[in-house]
C-alpha cells in the first residue's frame, strides 16, 4: 500500500477560499490522503462549510480549531501536525487551490 499523506492548511474566517480549496482537494487524482484544516479561531461559518463538505465528500477531513487569540498560525499548525495521521505531511496555504495532481506530485 502506498504512503498515507496528510495535507495541512490554515484558515481564518475565509469561507469562500476554504470552499474553493476543499473543492480542489476533492478533485485530486490520488485520493490516499487526509486533510487537516488548521483553524486559527474562525467563526461558526467555517465549521458549517467543513461539516457540509464532509457530508458530500469521501475525503478524510479533520478540523483542528483553537480560540481566536490574535495571529497564532504557528501554534495551530503545530496542533494540526500532532493531529495528522499521515506518514508524510504537506503544508499549504488556505488560499491556494491545488491542481488535480497536487497530491500525486508530492507522492512522487
Amino acid at each position: 500500500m502506498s504512503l498515507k499523506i496528510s495535507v495541512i492548511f490554515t484558515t481564518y474566517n475565509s469561507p469562500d477560499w476554504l470552499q474553493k480549496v476543499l473543492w480542489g482537494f476533492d478533485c485530486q487524482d490520488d485520493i490516499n490522503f487526509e486533510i487537516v484544516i488548521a483553524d486559527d479561531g474562525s467563526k461558526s461559518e467555517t465549521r458549517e462549510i467543513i461539516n457540509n463538505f464532509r457530508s458530500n465528500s469521501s475525503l478524510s477531513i479533520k478540523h483542528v480549531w483553537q480560540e481566536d487569540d490574535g495571529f497564532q498560525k504557528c501554534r495551530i499548525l503545530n496542533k494540526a501536525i500532532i493531529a495528522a495521521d499521515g506518514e508524510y505531511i504537506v503544508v499549504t496555504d488556505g488560499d491556494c487551490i491545488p491542481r488535480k495532481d497536487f497530491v500525486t506530485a508530492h507522492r512522487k
Side-chain angles (χ1 to χ4, degrees):
M1 179 170 239
S2 60
L3 190 68
K4 173 81 181 261
I5 294 175
S6 295
V7 176
I8 299 174
F9 63 88
T10 57
T11 192
Y12 175 73
N13 289 328
S14 299
D16 292 338
W17 278 109
L18 175 61
Q19 186 71 58
K20 292 171 187 174
V21 172
L22 288 171
W23 285 333
F25 283 113
D26 202 41
C27 295
Q28 291 298 296
D29 294 337
D30 181 337
I31 60 168
N32 186 24
F33 70 99
E34 70 173 350
I35 294 173
V36 183
I37 302 169
D39 187 347
D40 190 18
S42 296
K43 296 179 181 166
S44 62
E45 186 177 4
T46 295
R47 183 175 305 279
E48 291 168 13
I49 286 172
I50 293 166
N51 289 338
N52 184 43
F53 191 84
R54 270 190 194 129
S55 66
N56 294 303
S57 174
S58 62
L59 294 176
S60 171
I61 301 171
K62 293 180 180 175
H63 181 205
V64 181
W65 182 87
Q66 68 184 8
E67 191 169 329
D68 189 353
D69 187 26
F71 184 72
Q72 298 292 327
K73 181 180 180 179
C74 293
R75 186 170 68 183
I76 194 61
L77 279 173
N78 286 333
K79 290 177 181 180
I81 289 167
I82 291 168
D85 288 327
E87 301 164 274
Y88 183 86
I89 295 175
V90 178
V91 179
T92 186
D93 286 324
D95 60 356
C96 294
I97 302 168
R99 297 179 350 183
K100 70 178 184 171
D101 66 342
F102 180 85
V103 174
T104 299
H106 281 279
R107 185 175 305 284
K108 288 180 181 176

